[in-house]
Amino acid sequence: MSTLALLARNRLALAGLIVMGLVVLLALVTPLLPLPDPDVTDTGNRFLPPFSEGALLGTDHLGRDQLSRLLWGTRLSLAVGFAAATIAAVLGAAVGIIAGYYGGRVDNLIMRGVDMLMAFPYILLALAIVAALGPGLLNALIAVAAVNIPFFARNIRGITVGIANREFIDAARLAGMNDARIILSEVLPNVIPVIVIAMSTTVGWMILETAGLSFLGLGSQPPQADLGSMLGEARAALITSPHTSVVPGAMILIIVMAINLLGDGVRDALDPRLRSGALTRPMAATLVRREDPAPEPQGDDVLSLCDLQTQFHVKHRVYRAVGGVSLGVKPGECLGIIGESGSGKSVTALSVMGLVASPPGVITGGAVHYKGEDLVGAPYGRLRDLRGREVAYIFQDPLATLHPLYKVGDQLVEAIRVHHALSDSEARARALGLLRDVRIPNAESRLDSFPHELSGGMRQRVGIAMALANDPEVIIADEPTTALDVTVQAQILSLLDTLRREKGLAIVFITHDFGVVAQLCDRVAVMYAGRIVEEGPTRALLEAPAHPYTRRLIACVPELGEGKRRLHAIPGLPPAVNDLPSGCAFAPRCDKAQPACRQGEIALDAYGPRRLRCLYPETELEGTA
Amino acid sequence: MSLALRLENLSKSFAVGKRLFGAPKGHVHAVHPVTLDVPEGETLGIVGESGCGKSTLARMLVGLLAPSGGHIEIEGQPLDNADPAQFGKRIQYVFQDPISSLNPRKTIRQIMEAPLKRLHGMARAARDKRISEIFAQVNLREEFLERYPHEFSGGQAQRIGIARALAAEARILILDEPVSALDVSVQAQVLNLLADLKARLGLTYLFISHDLAVVEAVSDRVAVLYFGSVVEVGRAEDVFSAPRHPYTKLLADSAPVVGRALSPPESRETELPDPLNPPKGCAFRARCPNAGPRCAEEVPQLEGETGQVACFHPLR
Amino acid sequence: MGRYILKRLVSAVPVLLGITVIVFAIMAMIPGDPATAILGSYATPENVEKLNRDLGLDKPAVQRYFIWLWNMVQGDFGRSFSLNRPVLEEVLDRFGATLVLAGTSFVLCSVIGVAAGVVSAARQYGLADKAITFAVLLGISIPSFFLGMMMILIFAVQLRWFPASGMWPIYGDRTLPVLVTHLTMPALALAVVATGVVARLSRSAMLEVLRQDYIRTARAKGVPERGVIWRHALRAAMVSILPVLGIQAGFVLSGAVYIEMVFQWPGVGRMLVDAILKRDILLVQGGVVLVAACYVMFNIVVDVAQSLLDPRIKT
Ligand SMILES: Nc1ncnc2c1ncn2[C@@H]1O[C@H](COP(=O)(O)OP(=O)(O)OP(=O)(O)O)[C@@H](O)[C@H]1O
Ligand code: SF4
Ligand code: SF4
Ligand SMILES: [Mg+2]
């Protein structure tokens, strides 16, 4: 959506835009209006109240027409505010871009200067500048602009550093561009939105500042008046004739408020994160909007999902991230879920305990049964009680998933104490035991480490310890080794395997690596476009995949020990989950596809221990469909 | 057979704890002196774990980082401290993160035109013709040219990145984890495309990855990097199936393989050495099952004829 | 920790020197002849020359700077000609009043601002959030001096709840309750803008943090929502809120200048404005340097607090 359209959709911003437009229009046409001269005094008619004859807003202490002074003053205040903002933005951005782009010593020197300027409470600097240059509106403008340059410089520098480290800057260099060209054509276009945002959110502030200096008598000098000096002059008669103060004060308020509304709108429209609605806060549990009645629990699985459906509602689009997934794990069993990025593995896993970010996530159907109890409909209190105690999670990136500011030991202690009324020392002793269980060397001293002080492998061990803290029945591990190096991955995998055998844990293990599945899991389910397409015992499934997708996915992954060769790629891309084809989602890429594949639902049929969702399987499976 | 690329004792160290004036607090040796030859038309794979200096090495080879020592020779020409534009015509780079390597505010056409204009000074018509040619080579439709990067999937964006590298008409490509950000099914597409381009245009590749299986599948020779040093170089089919360096063996044993039982290849808890205080002797010593007294004293050098290994007690 | 504090104190020295250089350089830009400005245009040339010599204005600028600096180090900030008393005495007298005002406002804006921001984020798009967002918008849009004037009009003149101006009554005891009645209106008027800014920032910092993976981890552990918000999220959000509180302290000090004018508060801000209008340069220089130095020290306190909060900062 275009920036303007976005802006117009924001009702508050639109209101700001309209008010601002009116004010600017008034300011522009002021010289054309039939107004009395704003500076002509008429001491006979001092302090006329508003709505007096010939003076709609009354007169001030020298009998000057308030309306005329107000409009001329608005004109002046706006001009000065915008000028100051523009000067500060241009100079500050230039300084910030240069410092951020060149980095190193240039950056260091410039930023120390900037820090020095920011070491003043800003008004001291402004006062010093006005003191040196003498009172006057132009000098106040210079002071306000100068004082704000460091803020812009710092802000823009931060953004520029981020951009200068992006790979497209390197690419531009390799394409033969020099620094000046890179700054102008690669960096600047990416910084401009930030400059605009910074400007639109500070113009109001600058208008306030110049008005402030005028209020103190350091800005515009009589008889010329901007809004600030009108207010300053009216102060003496505040009690006797309040209207002379209220009129200019209210005008400043209206202008600045309109600008701020508009500025927020501009920011929201230009900030890509706000654009995608990413800055919404996930709620404590995923929203549930289930139309059909919940399915009944079946079988002896400790955890079973039944036709689970989870969607993301973003603006008017609906992403069917999980489109009816049925799965189960038995006590002590390890179930693998494998699939490509975006196939819905994580969302499936997070739906179990209502941890899908919501908004935009919604569970729209199906059930999750834990020992026969439906968790999808469960109240938050019940869900919270089961989280970590009965069903625990291990996440992918252990640096991001541990709280950076709390000691590892404290995080473990907390995990224990939210579910068990233990004293701090008891919980600590238990935490120590957990660290030993996951084979962390020097466990005692590691209790007092912060996550950033540990290596990736150690952090993931802490993650595992935390999951084990309350002896859960089920552990859901979402790609716990993907962020780790192979040698560390091997250690973590074998640790998980030992633990699960020792403790009889049921594990749901999510991965995209067939090697990992083969080594760790008893059973495996293959996901594609939010659904399970095939499921079965790991050995059988890997040796004789029945679904065309499974077979070709296995074939396109190179395996160690097969030497240099050509890979069997699958053409095309997985479908977007907000635009799924009807029938088999794999049909557009499947070389066995027939017209029948594209018509209607294809069921996930059971064949003995295996299940399959395909009309023309690669191998005939035994058992009844 | 002529050499496409020749590195002689190429090394890089970064100063850490820099101050405004005066000496920095210490140095991190990201790449220890590396000597490697890459003959024309070869694919040399480079594997190693995170932080072992793969990308630093690659960035030196295209002039994005100035080496701290040693020499680079590209197609017989020494290019030690030249600027990236000079490198650009001979050697190009394909980035790990395909989306981030495209400027979000430029159309694909603008992105493709930059090397043609800046490196080869082509006129408008010539540029358009050349872009069409390249897009045909990488199986991209020309209608993509007027779009912006965010409209593309990772696999498509990586093709565009490859197309841009081809536009410079360099005959050597550095591929820095070109498929790590991609999904397996797309990864295979891109790897096959790279193989086709190489066969058709006679390119030379330096293929960097942390995925042993991928490296083995695409490379003629493989160099294994550990803690900034090359510890083993050998033919792709030998390096992992019959490793000579203990670290190579550890890597090969750690990779999860269908049909192999799960057992920790290392009994000890391992950590990489502290780069600010590198240990004396062999950097792998603390993790090495073969370590002897000499390993604690001397740094092993890369030696050997066809397959080279830097180890005092190699496995073979 | 002790070493870190020491290190920060040492690193403040060049900043303080920089401040003196900047102040001196700005003041050296004054066009014309300060002595003429002081004595007025009817002064005799002899008098002007004598004053120039007294002020040391006949020497080159660099030398003058070092003389000024050396005197300041010894505690001699010169003499204010308009008040005819030592600058240091005058500034110290006034600074207490400013500290009471600005300090109260700062505490108010930090506590109310952060709390409002957290509530607003926790109830994103709820009624509380909308109300707070609107109040914040109003707060950051209203000029504090106008707000102060309106408060006088309503609460002092109409309702007679609070005295209209001053810090102490002219006659009567100087007790805490008396101070509080005088302080309430100016402190509130001064706090409004900063509270708005702090609330706004706290809200977005909280929203940012609440999306992080470690919040999901906390929820997955079964931590109750209140713990998630106030323990996990706020702690992490404080890392970005705290520096802003440091900056806001500067804004509160700055805003104090207006509020002191409106409420006739006997602080350093009013003194500075008077000094500028009277071109009392030594008083301006001394006042600016002293207040800026205090602000630098305050920011060191903020930095130390930040390092206590965030273990990733190398101490
Ligand atoms: N917050 C969100 N807003 C909108 N869509 C989302 C959100 N989170 C996930 N999705 C969508 O849900 C689908 C499934 O995502 P999910 O994270 O479960 O995939 P995954 O299989 O775990 O992939 P990966 O291997 O990358 O972890 C994707 O198409 C994604 O676009
Ligand atoms: S149902 Fe048809 S299109 Fe789908 S995988 Fe099976 S054969 Fe292919
Ligand atoms: S040199 Fe010694 S320590 Fe290093 S790898 Fe060889 S045997 Fe191991
Ligand atoms: Mg995932």
Side-chain angles (χ1 to χ4, degrees), chain A residues 201-374:
Chain A
T201 46
T202 46
V203 174
W205 173 245
M206 304 232 192
I207 290 181
L208 279 185
E209 277 321 294
T210 31
L213 287 179
S214 289
F215 173 79
L216 295 177
L218 304 175
S220 74
Q221 299 297 309
Q224 187 194 45
D226 69 352
L227 295 174
S229 60
M230 281 176 76
L231 201 54
E233 286 170 17
R235 193 162 65 87
L238 173 65
I239 294 169
T240 50
S241 304
H243 72 272
T244 50
S245 307
V246 172
V247 167
M251 191 62 173
I252 301 179
L253 177 60
I254 290 170
I255 292 177
V256 176
M257 196 143 143
I259 290 181
N260 282 339
L261 279 174
L262 188 59
D264 289 355
V266 169
R267 185 197 59 202
D268 291 358
L270 286 181
D271 191 329
R273 281 181 319 168
L274 294 166
R275 222 172 177 155
S276 56
L279 264 191
T280 47
R281 154 200 104 87
M283 299 193 297
T286 312
L287 275 177
V288 175
R289 225 177 286 141
R290 197 162 49 174
E291 253 121 59
D292 302 324
E296 286 301 308
Q298 289 161 344
D300 54 353
D301 295 334
V302 49
L303 180 75
S304 75
L305 320 189
C306 189
D307 197 31
L308 182 72
Q309 295 171 32
T310 306
Q311 305 180 340
F312 292 98
H313 295 191
V314 182
K315 304 248 167 70
H316 300 294
R317 280 175 304 232
V318 175
Y319 295 85
R320 296 189 166 74
V322 178
V325 164
S326 303
L327 277 177
V329 260
K330 296 189 181 24
E333 187 189 36
C334 179
L335 168 73
I337 301 182
I338 194 164
E340 290 183 89
S341 186
S343 58
K345 308 182 296 288
S346 298
V347 177
T348 305
L350 294 173
S351 299
V352 170
M353 281 285 138
L355 289 171
V356 177
S358 191
V362 192
I363 297 179
T364 51
V368 174
H369 292 115
Y370 175 75
K371 293 188 174 163
E373 179 184 353
D374 181 17

Side-chain angles (χ1 to χ4, degrees), chain C residues 205-280:
Chain C
M206 282 293 287
L207 288 179
E208 184 71 42
V209 166
L210 280 167
R211 292 166 40 231
Q212 300 299 313
D213 285 353
Y214 51 82
I215 296 298
R216 190 182 60 196
T217 308
R219 289 190 171 135
K221 286 199 285 194
V223 176
E225 193 58 12
R226 212 187 306 155
V228 170
I229 301 273
W230 291 97
R231 224 177 27 248
H232 287 254
L234 180 57
R235 172 93 190 245
M238 278 313 283
V239 170
S240 46
I241 296 175
L242 207 55
V244 172
L245 288 184
I247 293 176
Q248 283 311 305
F251 279 62
V252 168
L253 265 180
S254 300
V257 174
Y258 306 124
I259 295 298
E260 284 174 9
M261 292 295 280
V262 172
F263 288 92
Q264 308 281 315
W265 193 265
V268 89
R270 242 175 83 204
M271 176 203 85
L272 279 177
V273 175
D274 288 344
I276 290 172
L277 292 173
K278 290 184 189 141
R279 314 221 89 191
D280 189 343

Side-chain angles (χ1 to χ4, degrees), chain B residues 292-307:
Chain B
R294 192 175 166 201
C295 310
E297 297 301 322
E298 278 176 65
V299 179
Q301 299 299 321
L302 205 57
E303 280 163 4
E305 284 301 308
T306 41

Side-chain angles (χ1 to χ4, degrees), chain A residues 13-30 33 71 74-75 78 251 254-255 258-259 262:
Chain A
L14 193 63
L17 183 66
I18 291 171
V19 173
M20 212 39 226
L22 283 178
V23 172
V24 169
L25 190 73
L26 263 181
L28 286 179
V29 301
T30 299
L33 297 179
L71 291 182
T74 302
R75 206 173 135 86
L78 281 182
M251 191 62 173
I254 290 170
I255 292 177
I259 290 181
L262 188 59

Side-chain angles (χ1 to χ4, degrees), chain A residues 164-518:
Chain A
N165 288 328
R166 292 272 294 277
E167 295 179 329
F168 67 80
I169 299 292
D170 286 338
R173 235 171 246 151
L174 287 172
M177 296 195 194
N178 57 20
D179 283 340
R181 192 173 292 280
I182 291 178
I183 289 182
L184 286 180
S185 82
E186 308 283 324
V187 176
L188 194 59
N190 286 291
V191 177
I192 279 180
V194 184
I195 301 178
V196 173
I197 291 174
M199 238 182 100
S200 64
T201 46
T202 46
V203 174
W205 173 245
M206 304 232 192
I207 290 181
L208 279 185
E209 277 321 294
T210 31
L213 287 179
S214 289
F215 173 79
L216 295 177
L218 304 175
S220 74
Q221 299 297 309
Q224 187 194 45
D226 69 352
L227 295 174
S229 60
M230 281 176 76
L231 201 54
E233 286 170 17
R235 193 162 65 87
L238 173 65
I239 294 169
T240 50
S241 304
H243 72 272
T244 50
S245 307
V246 172
V247 167
M251 191 62 173
I252 301 179
L253 177 60
I254 290 170
I255 292 177
V256 176
M257 196 143 143
I259 290 181
N260 282 339
L261 279 174
L262 188 59
D264 289 355
V266 169
R267 185 197 59 202
D268 291 358
L270 286 181
D271 191 329
R273 281 181 319 168
L274 294 166
R275 222 172 177 155
S276 56
L279 264 191
T280 47
R281 154 200 104 87
M283 299 193 297
T286 312
L287 275 177
V288 175
R289 225 177 286 141
R290 197 162 49 174
E291 253 121 59
D292 302 324
E296 286 301 308
Q298 289 161 344
D300 54 353
D301 295 334
V302 49
L303 180 75
S304 75
L305 320 189
C306 189
D307 197 31
L308 182 72
Q309 295 171 32
T310 306
Q311 305 180 340
F312 292 98
H313 295 191
V314 182
K315 304 248 167 70
H316 300 294
R317 280 175 304 232
V318 175
Y319 295 85
R320 296 189 166 74
V322 178
V325 164
S326 303
L327 277 177
V329 260
K330 296 189 181 24
E333 187 189 36
C334 179
L335 168 73
I337 301 182
I338 194 164
E340 290 183 89
S341 186
S343 58
K345 308 182 296 288
S346 298
V347 177
T348 305
L350 294 173
S351 299
V352 170
M353 281 285 138
L355 289 171
V356 177
S358 191
V362 192
I363 297 179
T364 51
V368 174
H369 292 115
Y370 175 75
K371 293 188 174 163
E373 179 184 353
D374 181 17
L375 300 182
V376 169
Y380 167 70
R382 179 66 187 147
L383 212 51
R384 207 223 90 211
D385 185 44
L386 291 175
R387 284 178 181 174
R389 191 163 63 83
E390 300 289 320
V391 180
Y393 282 87
I394 305 171
F395 297 108
Q396 176 172 343
D397 175 4
L399 184 59
T401 51
L402 293 175
H403 198 294
L405 307 183
Y406 286 110
K407 289 175 184 164
V408 162
D410 294 343
Q411 300 193 42
L412 286 169
V413 165
E414 184 189 31
I416 298 165
R417 289 185 46 173
V418 287
H419 293 298
H420 296 278
L422 289 185
S423 75
D424 199 59
S425 56
E426 284 169 317
R428 229 179 131 76
R430 183 121 173 234
L432 186 62
L434 286 168
L435 287 189
R436 294 215 171 103
D437 284 352
V438 296
R439 325 258 190 287
I440 287 190
N442 310 326
E444 223 133 334
S445 63
R446 285 310 189 191
L447 276 179
D448 290 322
S449 300
F450 288 98
H452 71 276
E453 297 166 343
L454 303 178
S455 67
M458 287 301 147
R459 279 196 286 262
Q460 195 54 294
R461 283 168 198 266
V462 172
I464 296 172
M466 201 135 81
L468 295 173
N470 297 294
D471 280 322
E473 299 278 311
V474 183
I475 285 192
I476 300 177
D478 188 356
E479 310 212 27
T481 57
T482 306
L484 305 176
D485 279 325
V486 266
T487 53
V488 183
Q489 162 167 305
Q491 297 169 13
I492 297 285
L493 287 179
S494 71
L495 171 71
L496 270 176
D497 198 47
T498 330
L499 287 173
R500 100 172 156 104
R501 289 180 204 286
E502 278 171 11
K503 308 198 178 229
L505 286 169
I507 295 189
V508 178
F509 192 95
I510 294 173
T511 177
H512 59 252
D513 188 329
F514 281 106
V516 172
V517 164

Side-chain angles (χ1 to χ4, degrees), chain B residues 244-247 281-292 294-296 298-300 310-314:
Chain B
R244 296 179 64 199
H245 195 281
Y247 175 65
C282 176
F284 190 60
R285 186 166 42 96
R287 301 168 74 174
C288 183
N290 292 13
R294 192 175 166 201
C295 310
E298 278 176 65
V299 179
C311 177
F312 296 125
H313 312 286

